[in-house]
Amino acid sequence: DTGVSQDPRHKITKRGQNVTFRCDPISEHNRLYWYRQTLGQGPEFLTYFQNEAQLEKSRLLSDRFSAERPKGSFSTLEIQRTEQGDSAMYLCASSRGSVGKNTEAFFGQGTRLTVV
Amino acid sequence: GDSVTQMEGPVTLSEEAFLTINCTYTATGYPSLFWYVQYPGEGLQLLLKATKADDKGSNKGFEATYRKETTSFHLEKGSVQVSDSAVYFCARYQIQGAQKLVFGQGTRLTINP
């Protein structure tokens, strides 16, 4: 079990550029979550997948954001036409089914995005 | 909507002091409750959890009890160490409806030797 890995760890981009982040969940975890965390705040839910199906999207996920999980394995989160307000830590987590008594969500170390 | 509220930080204590970090939640139904910890430079890690009323979660000397009557899940530790310095997040997860973890805003804890 190598844990949830995210790439890149840091990204600096100019306003208006597109960026894409990748998340590799723990193998055999069918659920994958994306969160955004700004300084001094807790993680805010963006979206989640069960296998390859995107089951829920937050209102935070504007039409500039898109997430995919082809084949139910790794996932990508793309932000088009980045804005300074997109600067944040983007976290990925995975779990084997619903989180609860016997299941926990494991988080990656995140991708820190800075839009200049 | 459903939310989690934590006591505001930062919190600074001396080593061996008693720690309480308050957490309350709004909920429909009976969510599972969690405390996550984020050490400097690391990702979120599950510290402890409780999945039904009156359950007590415990780990590394930390404890929290699921109190349905007060909708609370306060984190406690009897004697903190410098290594406990981190940011602590309270969270809830509900199977019905929106299946996701909802986090509080986090409490930064600093323990001085």
Side-chain angles (χ1 to χ4, degrees), chain A residues 76-92:
Chain A
T76 57
L77 178 67
E78 180 183 17
I79 309 175
Q80 296 183 325
R81 304 181 303 281
T82 51
E83 302 172 356
Q84 287 189 318
D86 297 331
S87 295
M89 177 77 85
Y90 290 84
L91 299 173
C92 178

Side-chain angles (χ1 to χ4, degrees), chain A residues 9 31 33 35 37 40-43 45 48 56 91 97-105 107-109, chain B residues 32 34 36 38 41-44 46 49 51-52 89 93 95 97-106:
Chain A
R9 294 288 307 279
R31 293 210 176 185
Y33 308 82
Y35 284 82
Q37 185 179 16
Q41 299 298 316
F45 172 80
Y48 92 91
E56 188 175 341
L91 299 173
S98 294
V99 172
K101 185 176 181 180
N102 299 313
T103 304
E104 67 176 274
F107 282 80
Q109 291 187 290
Chain B
S32 294
F34 304 83
Y36 279 82
Q38 190 170 36
E42 298 185 17
L44 282 167
L46 179 65
K49 66 182 178 185
T51 57
K52 62 181 190 297
F89 295 93
Y93 189 97
I95 294 178
Q99 296 189 33
K100 60 189 179 190
L101 281 165
V102 174
F103 288 87
Q105 73 271 31

Side-chain angles (χ1 to χ4, degrees), chain A residues 9 12 15 27 32 36 39 47 51 62 65 67 69-70 76-77 79 84 88 99 105 111:
Chain A
R9 294 288 307 279
I12 300 175
R15 190 173 50 184
S27 60
L32 187 148
R36 182 174 71 185
L39 199 61
T47 188
N51 300 313
S62 75
F65 288 70
R69 193 183 182 197
T76 57
L77 178 67
I79 309 175
Q84 287 189 318
V99 172
T111 294

Side-chain angles (χ1 to χ4, degrees), chain B residues 56-87:
Chain B
K56 177 186 284 187
S58 61
N59 186 25
K60 299 182 180 180
F62 290 89
E63 292 183 340
T65 301
Y66 191 141
R67 302 283 188 202
K68 186 163 77 78
E69 64 277 11
T70 55
T71 61
S72 65
F73 193 54
H74 305 320
L75 183 68
E76 296 181 336
K77 186 172 184 180
S79 176
V80 292
Q81 306 300 312
V82 172
S83 58
D84 293 328
S85 298
V87 183

